[in-house]
Amino acid sequence: MQVIETEKRELQLIFVNKELEASNKQLAIQNAEKEERAAELVIANSELAYQNNEKVKRADELVIAIEELTYQNQEKVKRAEELVIAIKELTYQNSEKEKRADELVIANRELAYQNSEKEKRADELLIANKELAYQNAEKEKRAEELIIANKELAYQNSEKEKRAAELVIANKELAYQNQEKEKRAQELILANTELAYQNIEMEKRARELLIANKEIESFYYISSHDLQEPLRKIQTFSGRIFVEEYDNLSAMGKYYVERTKLSALHMQTLIDDLLAYSRTKTTQRKFVNSNLNKIVKEAIKMLKEEIKEKQAIIEVQDLSEVNVIPFQFRQLLQNLISNSLKYSVPEVQPHIVITSDFIKYDNAASTDLVLKCDHHHISVIDNGIGFDAKFNEKIFEIFQRLHHKNVYKGTGIGLTIARKIVENHNGIITATSTVNNGARFDIYIPAIQVH
């Protein structure tokens, strides 16, 4: 019985030893698998460390590039701020990756500890394998996160390159703008120099104008007092001689007295016209919105006797309201109507037509307007003797006459005064005519006057 029991124990011991050998073989295979995993993990760690080193180098290079770009493009603050934010994000991601690497080191240490424990405790091998599988799954997740992080880093690098290209373009644009500003500054310096020169010239002209005005005032005083007083005496005494001593005069004496009276009258007319002309220069310009129909009526009233004598027809169309110096504009129209009456065709009833139009200025229009603003166009047209077209400008010159004074009376100042009045209104007057076909005077004055 004891022999049988002994044999049973030996058989049991053999069976246990075989199981233990099988278990050890299985454990050896598992340890070999673990060593292969550990080797792969070491390679992965080395690769991760290399990538981290490369990332650190790239980060250092990026910091240097960012600092250089920041120094060169201080004007592009917004772009620099975006770049700083990107760097912070990259730093944060690198920090997160270092944390993951630290976690991986801890996991490796934990795995080594578990392998040691598994060697001691074979019965805990299954639990350890499950733990390893779990850790491997976590590593795969970390690897996927690393891939995503790398893609994100590549995208950010691409965006940074785009920003760098935009910064280059912006710098070129800024350089161009600076060049343009320098050109404008030089032009402004030239303009200021020219303006200073013009101001000096204007001061000179103002002094000259002041002297001229004083001379005109002196002339006006002399014309009003010193010249007219002896002229009145000439007219008075020649008139008395012609009336009181008429019978005692010879025929030649009567002729001389008559010529003296006519010369004195011509002198009086000349002085009056010169005074009128001087007033057009010295009178203060006060523009008033005035009814042109009313002004024409006043001018016609002043020429009532001449119109009646000539039996003239004056056709006045519906005229507009104008911004003028009223008494000057009345003088202007009076002179033009008087001129038409004076140079009418003998034995032909004078016919004078006065019209006006408002012209709206349009810069885009193809019409070449006389004034580059809204303006009034006033026309005075007659059926008189007219004049040669070559005298269109000459008739406005002072003391210029196209006919001998014995044929048509006058001093040759009327149209000169008319042009001066139009100039006082910042306008233009033109004359057009042909011989024996009447004359036309066109006046253009701005609708809004600058006071």
Side-chain angles (χ1 to χ4, degrees):
M1 293 294 291
Q2 290 180 352
V3 174
I4 293 170
E5 288 293 327
T6 300
E7 289 177 353
K8 287 181 179 180
R9 286 174 184 167
E10 288 177 355
L11 290 172
Q12 290 176 353
L13 184 59
I14 292 168
F15 180 77
V16 170
N17 286 334
K18 288 182 178 180
E19 288 183 347
L20 186 57
E21 286 177 359
S23 179
N24 286 336
K25 290 179 179 179
Q26 184 66 30
L27 184 59
I29 292 170
Q30 292 175 353
N31 286 335
E33 291 291 324
K34 291 176 184 177
E35 288 176 357
E36 290 179 359
R37 298 294 179 275
E40 291 174 355
L41 190 59
V42 168
I43 293 170
N45 288 335
S46 298
E47 181 64 23
L48 182 61
Y50 174 77
Q51 291 177 355
N52 287 333
N53 288 333
E54 289 297 311
K55 291 173 186 174
V56 170
K57 289 180 181 179
R58 295 288 112 42
D60 292 339
E61 292 173 356
L62 188 59
V63 168
I64 293 170
I66 291 168
E67 290 176 351
E68 180 65 21
L69 284 174
T70 303
Y71 174 75
Q72 291 176 352
N73 301 288
Q74 292 179 353
E75 295 297 322
K76 302 299 177 178
V77 176
K78 293 182 180 180
R79 297 295 180 275
E81 289 176 353
E82 293 174 358
L83 196 56
V84 170
I85 293 170
I87 292 168
K88 289 181 179 179
E89 180 64 20
L90 180 61
T91 304
Y92 172 75
Q93 291 177 359
N94 287 335
S95 176
E96 289 297 311
K97 291 172 186 175
E98 289 176 358
K99 289 180 182 179
R100 296 297 177 274
D102 292 337
E103 291 173 359
L104 190 58
V105 171
I106 294 171
N108 289 334
R109 290 176 182 174
E110 180 66 23
L111 181 60
Y113 174 76
Q114 289 175 359
N115 286 335
S116 178
E117 289 298 314
K118 286 173 186 177
E119 289 176 358
K120 295 178 182 179
R121 298 175 184 82
D123 54 350
E124 295 176 359
L125 183 60
L126 182 60
I127 296 172
N129 287 334
K130 290 180 180 180
E131 181 66 22
L132 182 61
Y134 172 76
Q135 290 177 358
N136 287 334
E138 289 296 310
K139 289 174 187 175
E140 289 177 358
K141 290 181 182 179
R142 296 298 175 274
E144 291 174 355
E145 291 175 358
L146 186 60
I147 291 171
I148 294 170
N150 287 334
K151 290 180 179 180
E152 179 66 22
L153 180 60
Y155 173 76
Q156 291 177 356
N157 287 335
S158 175
E159 289 296 310
K160 289 170 187 174
E161 289 176 357
K162 290 180 182 179
R163 296 296 175 275
E166 291 173 357
L167 283 175
V168 170
I169 295 171
N171 286 335
K172 290 181 180 179
E173 179 66 21
L174 181 61
Y176 173 76
Q177 290 176 357
N178 288 335
Q179 290 176 356
E180 289 297 312
K181 289 176 183 176
E182 290 176 359
K183 290 180 182 178
R184 295 298 172 275
Q186 292 173 356
E187 292 173 357
L188 186 59
I189 291 171
L190 293 175
N192 288 335
T193 303
E194 180 66 19
L195 182 61
Y197 172 75
Q198 290 177 358
N199 287 336
I200 294 172
E201 290 297 312
M202 287 174 63
E203 290 176 359
K204 290 180 181 178
R205 297 297 175 275
R207 289 194 293 269
E208 293 172 358
L209 184 61
L210 183 61
I211 294 171
N213 285 337
K214 289 182 179 179
E215 292 176 351
I216 290 172
E217 289 176 2
S218 299
F219 168 77
Y220 180 78
Y221 179 81
I222 292 171
S223 300
S224 299
H225 300 85
D226 298 350
L227 290 179
Q228 296 212 54
E229 180 59 27
L231 180 62
R232 280 193 293 270
K233 289 181 180 180
I234 292 172
Q235 289 176 314
T236 300
F237 291 140
S238 63
R240 285 183 180 180
I241 291 172
F242 194 76
V243 173
E244 297 174 5
E245 301 295 332
Y246 185 79
D247 293 336
N248 298 326
L249 295 174
S250 64
M252 187 59 67
K254 292 176 182 178
Y255 172 76
Y256 289 150
V257 171
E258 181 68 24
R259 296 304 302 169
T260 301
K261 286 179 62 180
L262 291 175
S263 296
L265 180 61
H266 179 72
M267 184 65 178
Q268 182 67 56
T269 303
L270 180 61
I271 291 173
D272 290 342
D273 286 347
L274 285 173
L275 290 175
Y277 180 67
S278 66
R279 280 195 294 270
T280 63
K281 290 188 174 183
T282 59
T283 305
Q284 186 177 3
R285 298 192 297 175
K286 293 182 179 179
F287 294 97
V288 179
N289 287 329
S290 307
N291 189 309
L292 192 54
N293 286 292
K294 182 179 178 182
I295 294 176
V296 171
K297 287 180 181 178
E298 291 174 355
I300 292 174
K301 186 177 180 181
M302 297 295 292
L303 298 169
K304 182 178 180 181
E305 296 301 326
E306 291 90 332
I307 294 172
K308 184 177 180 181
E309 180 184 350
K310 295 274 187 174
Q311 295 183 342
I313 298 173
I314 300 180
E315 180 183 340
V316 181
Q317 297 185 2
D318 187 23
L319 306 179
S320 59
E321 189 173 87
V322 291
N323 190 228
V324 295
I325 307 168
F327 79 91
Q328 284 195 9
F329 220 76
R330 183 180 65 249
Q331 181 70 48
L332 164 66
L333 291 171
Q334 183 178 332
N335 286 7
L336 293 178
I337 295 171
S338 176
N339 189 77
S340 295
L341 293 172
K342 182 187 301 183
Y343 296 107
S344 60
V345 178
E347 308 303 327
V348 175
Q349 187 178 29
H351 184 196
I352 303 169
V353 180
I354 303 174
T355 64
S356 74
D357 294 302
F358 174 75
I359 308 299
K360 181 71 176 176
Y361 177 66
D362 184 2
N363 189 34
S366 60
T367 306
D368 187 15
L369 299 178
V370 176
L371 297 181
K372 305 302 181 182
C373 62
D374 294 349
H375 61 277
H376 295 281
H377 173 207
I378 303 162
S379 299
V380 178
I381 308 168
D382 63 46
N383 62 340
I385 63 173
F387 54 86
D388 196 316
K390 66 182 180 180
F391 298 119
N392 285 352
E393 289 295 325
K394 185 178 180 180
I395 62 172
F396 291 111
E397 296 177 7
I398 192 167
F399 299 130
Q400 293 297 322
R401 300 168 56 91
L402 303 184
H403 308 86
H404 194 275
K405 64 180 181 180
N406 293 332
V407 180
Y408 293 99
K409 296 179 181 180
T411 60
I413 298 180
L415 292 181
T416 305
I417 293 173
R419 182 169 66 175
K420 185 59 186 175
I421 291 172
V422 174
E423 290 174 352
N424 286 347
H425 287 76
N426 304 305
I428 296 172
I429 183 171
T430 62
T432 53
S433 178
T434 55
V435 178
N436 297 324
N437 284 311
R440 176 190 181 101
F441 293 89
D442 290 292
I443 303 164
Y444 306 87
I445 59 170
I448 300 175
Q449 294 286 357
V450 179
H451 295 263

